[in-house]
Amino acid sequence: MDARFTDEQDEIRRTLRELLGKRCGPEELRAAVDTPAGHDPALWTTLAEQLGLPGLALPETYGGVGCTVTELALACEETGRTLAPTPLLATAVLAAPLLLALGTDAQRAALLPRIASGGLTAALAVPGPALATALALTGHDRHGAWAGGGRAGGVQARRAEGGWQLYGQVDQVLDGHSARLLVVAAHTGGYARSRVLLFLVRGDATGLTRVRQTALDATRPQGRIQLRHVPAELLGDETADALSALARLGDTAAACLATEAVGAAGRVLERTVEYVGQREQFGRPVGSFQAVKHRLADAYVQVQAARSAAYYAAWEAATEATAPTSATTTATTGATAATTASGAATAREETAGALALAQALEALRRAAAEGIQLHGGIGFTWEHEAHLYFKRAAGDELLFGPVHRLRAHAADAAHVFEEAGT
């Protein structure tokens, strides 16, 4: 592994940081989250047209830039620094990879170029608290019970004249209230032979009701979608393994979320260090007191360790995406066993993202908490932005965690607590 960034990666980071520094300050951020969409469409258009951000990790065949997960994760680190409320996570990290992995040639050709250009935003609709399980971050359900369906909640799919219809409700959908395309996980086939498939639903489809929800983290807008016999298009075909695709997506999502979190942690720590160097108490800067120095030093070490773990997870996800893994080979050939070496590699791939995300969320929570306290009386007020970083950590942990479950599932995947020979 070469830990150095390429010139192209450095340029992506530099350009994006300069642009967001000009277009996404505290005032612009608050104005954007107060809009019905929860983000600034003009900023998203600029990110798409000038930097190609939505298509950064999409192939050039579909109008993308042709980069890897690593570059996408580095872009997420910069958006995390400013808490930029954009559809990047929902569209480029969660939805687009599923379209690329499962979509038919016609679906890819019709949808991916529009996503790459920024003209089409998308959202992944998975029942509220089950998102982390669906992505195999806090558990792995091989039967898709998390999707609910029928009286169990979630969404049920049934055949209708000329296609499919969906019925149900999904809460806590990232950008679900504003995305022009929804990728909905639904049960189909009845209860005895039920399975989970993914469906495409237009944002203006008949029978679809969408409402923005009040979220702890206002910079991460969420929506509730209700489907009443909504016409839908099957993503791919009925042989597609949606559960495996979602589980593989978890590696990419965790890496991007981890880098986004360390970007936010690094920024709030920078702001805190700057403030304690200016604020005086007892005739000297607060930052000159040894106790304050120790607390900030500990937070700095934690952030830097989390950043290293996040970069490794991004590299691992990019490597996995560009080379066939043992899991992919097994699924393709129908084999039921793997060698010891390939099994160890698979376990490493499954744990890197979850562990990096857990470490990054802890680092962000620590840095934000120190920022709130060391800013004194203004740190916890609505006028100051420190609380927004703390809410980002808490909100992400509610959606993709909690931290102890991320680590517990990673330990199970790596067989850490199993005795030798079992």
Side-chain angles (χ1 to χ4, degrees):
M1 174 182 178
D2 187 353
R4 295 172 298 180
F5 291 119
T6 64
D7 292 339
E8 183 181 31
Q9 290 169 342
D10 284 332
E11 183 64 17
I12 291 173
R13 301 175 73 191
R14 183 191 64 79
T15 305
L16 188 54
R17 182 172 299 190
E18 290 181 357
L19 177 61
L20 291 176
K22 298 176 182 177
R23 297 287 301 273
C24 196
E27 294 182 2
E28 291 83 359
L29 172 62
R30 294 179 188 279
V33 300
D34 286 339
T35 62
H39 69 270
D40 182 4
L43 174 61
W44 179 244
T45 300
T46 300
L47 293 174
E49 294 179 351
Q50 294 188 10
L51 302 178
L53 208 59
L56 196 60
L58 290 177
E60 295 180 19
T61 308
Y62 299 111
V65 180
C67 293
T68 68
V69 176
T70 303
E71 285 76 20
L72 181 59
L74 292 177
C76 288
E77 181 179 6
E78 296 306 318
T79 60
R81 280 179 57 87
T82 58
L83 301 181
T86 70
L88 181 65
L89 177 63
T91 299
V93 177
L94 295 179
L98 292 173
L99 299 176
L100 182 62
L102 300 180
T104 63
D105 291 341
Q107 288 172 337
R108 293 174 184 172
L111 298 175
L112 291 179
R114 295 171 60 196
I115 287 179
S117 67
L120 178 67
T121 56
L124 172 63
V126 169
L131 181 57
T133 302
L135 297 177
L137 295 177
T138 58
H140 191 64
D141 184 354
R142 300 183 185 279
H143 303 288
W146 50 263
R151 294 181 180 179
V155 181
Q156 184 72 26
R158 67 179 182 85
R159 292 186 181 275
E161 184 177 354
W164 294 81
Q165 285 187 349
L166 304 184
Y167 190 95
Q169 177 173 309
V170 184
D171 299 319
Q172 297 176 267
V173 180
L174 293 174
D175 290 333
H177 61 294
S178 62
R180 297 184 179 181
L181 177 70
L182 298 175
V183 182
V184 183
H187 261 301
T188 182
Y191 294 101
R193 306 174 68 176
S194 178
R195 60 179 303 214
V196 176
L197 294 174
L198 294 176
F199 295 86
L200 302 176
V201 176
R202 300 193 321 271
D204 59 352
T206 304
L208 175 64
T209 302
R210 305 190 290 175
V211 180
R212 182 177 177 181
Q213 294 183 297
T214 300
L216 173 64
D217 179 13
T219 66
R220 189 85 88 191
Q222 302 174 22
R224 179 179 68 245
I225 66 172
Q226 295 176 327
L227 306 107
R228 300 293 182 265
H229 306 296
V230 175
E233 178 185 353
L234 179 64
L235 178 59
D237 54 46
E238 294 188 50
T239 64
D241 190 348
L243 295 179
S244 295
L246 286 167
R248 290 193 298 271
L249 175 62
D251 294 332
T252 298
C256 292
L257 285 164
T259 53
E260 187 185 65
V262 297
R267 178 54 180 160
V268 72
L269 188 58
E270 289 173 6
R271 292 289 304 272
T272 304
V273 171
E274 179 183 355
Y275 181 77
V276 298
Q278 297 173 351
R279 178 190 172 197
E280 291 190 358
Q281 191 173 26
F282 305 112
R284 54 188 290 195
V286 173
S288 65
F289 292 101
Q290 190 175 42
V292 175
K293 290 180 179 180
H294 286 178
R295 289 169 60 176
L296 291 176
D298 289 343
Y300 175 80
V301 171
Q302 192 171 2
V303 171
Q304 290 301 101
R307 178 173 281 112
S308 296
Y311 287 167
Y312 176 78
W315 174 83
E316 188 76 55
T319 303
E320 181 183 359
T322 55
T325 64
S326 59
T328 304
T329 303
T330 300
T332 303
T333 62
T336 58
T339 63
T340 303
S342 63
T346 302
R348 184 175 65 252
E349 292 161 359
E350 291 179 352
T351 59
L355 290 177
L357 179 56
Q359 193 168 357
L361 290 178
E362 276 195 336
L364 175 55
R365 186 172 54 188
R366 169 73 177 276
E370 295 288 6
I372 291 174
Q373 188 167 14
L374 293 177
H375 271 85
I378 196 176
F380 66 91
T381 63
W382 177 254
E383 289 74 18
H384 200 275
E385 60 180 345
H387 69 98
L388 296 176
Y389 288 89
F390 190 85
K391 288 177 180 177
R392 169 60 64 89
D396 277 3
E397 192 168 350
L398 289 172
L399 279 172
F400 302 100
V403 166
H404 70 273
R405 289 189 60 191
L406 288 167
R407 289 193 169 123
H409 179 61
D412 290 341
H415 309 291
V416 171
F417 299 111
E418 291 185 10
E419 296 182 3
T422 60

